[in-house]
Amino acid sequence: MQHNSLWHTMETADQVAVAAYQQILECAEHAIAEHGSFKLVLAGGSTPEKVYHLLAKANADWAKWFIYYGDERCLPIDHADRNSLAATQAFLEKVAIPNMQIFTIPAELGPEQGAKKYQQVVAAALPFDMVLLGMGEDGHTASLFPGHQHQEDELAHAVYNSPKPPPERVSISAKALSNTQQLIFLITGTNKQEAVKNWRSGQDLPVATISAKNPVDIYIDRDAYNP
Ligand code: 6PG
């Protein structure tokens, strides 16, 4: 388990979302004051959606926000299972972030082409200010799965044979995800208990390969972790 991680255990998934939402807004204000922009990497999956709905109602200096994605499924750009569609419908289409500042992963091009193109986007973006990540039941995060080998110096990976459908994806690498001021894991639900226990016991899981310049914040509800 990362030595510089802070576990914030909340009673409910709603409290997890509110706490993470508040930290994101604070991080944005600080980043904009410090360097004139806020570079945020969005998480895929369903857990972050509560946070996205809260952000959709926030007052923020949206013109200074730059949006990236931690990973994307290799599906058509308007497919219901795309992470970008979920984030757009819950958050991005409801706030005034300029479209040219939203960097969708071109995963519809397939893993190789998608990763090749997004590698350039990530290189131009680093360092991030805030990265949001979820965790799967096997301890995966973004589309970094247990047992998968990747070239560590890559900024974006082509992913094949994902155990979580669809099988082909594009993922930002652990190295690039860790090149951020702050990083939040959002973990809720009883189905994550086993992976949390394995992570905390020191298992070498993908979630354990991620760090940040500041301590990683893990927002987790009692269903996922009840010490
Ligand atoms: C994806 C996500 C993936 C997700 C976890 C947790 O594309 O599926 O990037 O890494 O964050 O699997 O998913 P849930 O939040 O839906 O449990």
Side-chain angles (χ1 to χ4, degrees), residues 44-48 71 73 83 134-136 140-142 164 169 192:
S46 56
T47 304
D71 68 333
R73 297 111 182 248
N83 290 328
M135 182 192 73
H140 79 254
T141 190
K164 178 178 180 182
R169 293 156 168 259
K192 306 294 173 76

Side-chain angles (χ1 to χ4, degrees), residues 19-37:
Y21 156 77
Q22 288 170 338
Q23 183 171 336
I24 293 164
L25 290 185
E26 283 165 23
C27 182
E29 278 185 31
H30 179 77
I32 291 167
E34 197 180 65
H35 60 78
S37 65

Side-chain angles (χ1 to χ4, degrees), residues 2 4 41 70 122 126-133 141-142 144 152 154-155 172-185 206-216:
Q2 290 91 335
N4 64 339
V41 179
V122 174
L126 292 178
F128 296 125
D129 295 300
M130 169 68 82
V131 170
L132 301 182
L133 287 171
T141 190
L144 305 170
E152 282 187 6
E154 285 182 332
L155 297 178
I172 292 188
S173 65
K175 171 184 174 185
L177 288 169
S178 301
N179 192 346
T180 181
Q181 284 302 322
Q182 296 185 34
L183 189 140
I184 288 177
F185 278 104
V207 283
T209 66
I210 307 288
S211 59
K213 292 181 176 59
N214 291 300
V216 167

Side-chain angles (χ1 to χ4, degrees), residues 6 15 35 38 40 45 72 74 81 107 123 126 171-172 180 203:
L6 300 172
Q15 288 172 346
H35 60 78
F38 175 54
L40 170 65
E72 187 55 273
C74 291
D81 292 344
L126 292 178
S171 184
I172 292 188
T180 181
Q203 266 195 36

